[in-house]
Amino acid sequence: RALDERRLALAIEEIEREFSDRNEHLVQGALASLGLYLGPIDGARGELTRKAIQRFQYNLVEDNPDLTEEEKRDGMTGELTPAQTVALIGAAADVNHPQSQYIFGVMHAEGIGVPVNGKRAVKWLNKSAAYGYPLGHYALGQYYREGIWGEDPIPPSRTEAAHHFGQAAALGYRPARKALEELYEGVKLACRLYN
């Protein structure tokens, strides 16, 4: 169990690094979307962030009849466990926070803290992309290019991949333009080989 928690923590750190140079940025944004964090989204772990995490931790257990009030308060550490981070991202995704929807989609595509599920991954990534979030489109392009295998798999689709890479590029995400060019080069090569 400890090894699984460590793997989850490392995977979440990797996603946070991809999302922002400052890891706390994602946590603060997710907490703010839930109305628990009222400070500036500055990526710095401060007292406001710890207090917001404590409120979130209490919200997770407040209706648990098996815990005393003291036990509930003892769980308010101000530091998220990997499982609490997954719960936070899921809760923020549920209230239409595009960045959390993107992260939650990637988590479902990669099996980070949740089982791999192609349809759920695409659902969350599409929600993020619908808000004009370029990383949502870019991730959809990547996953449609490669497919997502596991529960409810998503087979590869060059058409969908091209559409989402194009949308991300139009929103100014530069790596999407390169991915789109590589996708077209692959199609041209395949056409030459079959002709």
Side-chain angles (χ1 to χ4, degrees), residues 3 86 124 128 139 154 170 183:
L3 182 59
V86 172
W124 288 111
S128 175
I154 298 296
L183 187 66

Side-chain angles (χ1 to χ4, degrees), residues 51-177:
K51 292 285 187 195
I53 290 171
Q54 288 173 333
R55 286 190 289 276
F56 176 73
Q57 289 170 324
Y58 185 79
N59 287 345
L60 290 175
V61 297
E62 73 178 313
D63 294 330
N64 187 339
D66 297 331
L67 296 176
T68 66
E69 280 303 312
E70 185 177 333
E71 289 171 323
K72 292 175 185 179
R73 282 191 302 277
D74 287 346
M76 297 169 56
T77 64
E79 295 291 328
L80 291 169
T81 66
Q84 289 171 341
T85 301
V86 172
L88 173 62
I89 298 303
D94 277 337
V95 296
N96 297 322
H97 184 243
Q99 297 156 334
S100 294
Q101 290 170 331
Y102 157 72
I103 296 296
F104 209 43
V106 171
M107 291 168 84
H108 278 91
E110 303 292 330
I112 299 169
V114 295
V116 174
N117 186 304
K119 286 186 180 174
R120 286 187 185 153
V122 167
K123 169 192 155 186
W124 288 111
L125 292 169
N126 270 321
K127 285 182 177 235
S128 175
Y131 282 99
Y133 192 65
L135 287 176
H137 281 294
Y138 183 72
L140 282 164
Q142 289 179 308
Y143 291 125
Y144 274 118
R145 181 181 60 206
E146 305 298 326
I148 303 173
W149 310 106
E151 191 176 326
D152 292 327
I154 298 296
S157 169
R158 285 190 186 126
T159 304
E160 287 291 328
H163 168 74
H164 288 289
F165 283 144
Q167 291 295 315
L171 290 167
Y173 192 63
R174 292 179 192 221
R177 183 177 190 87

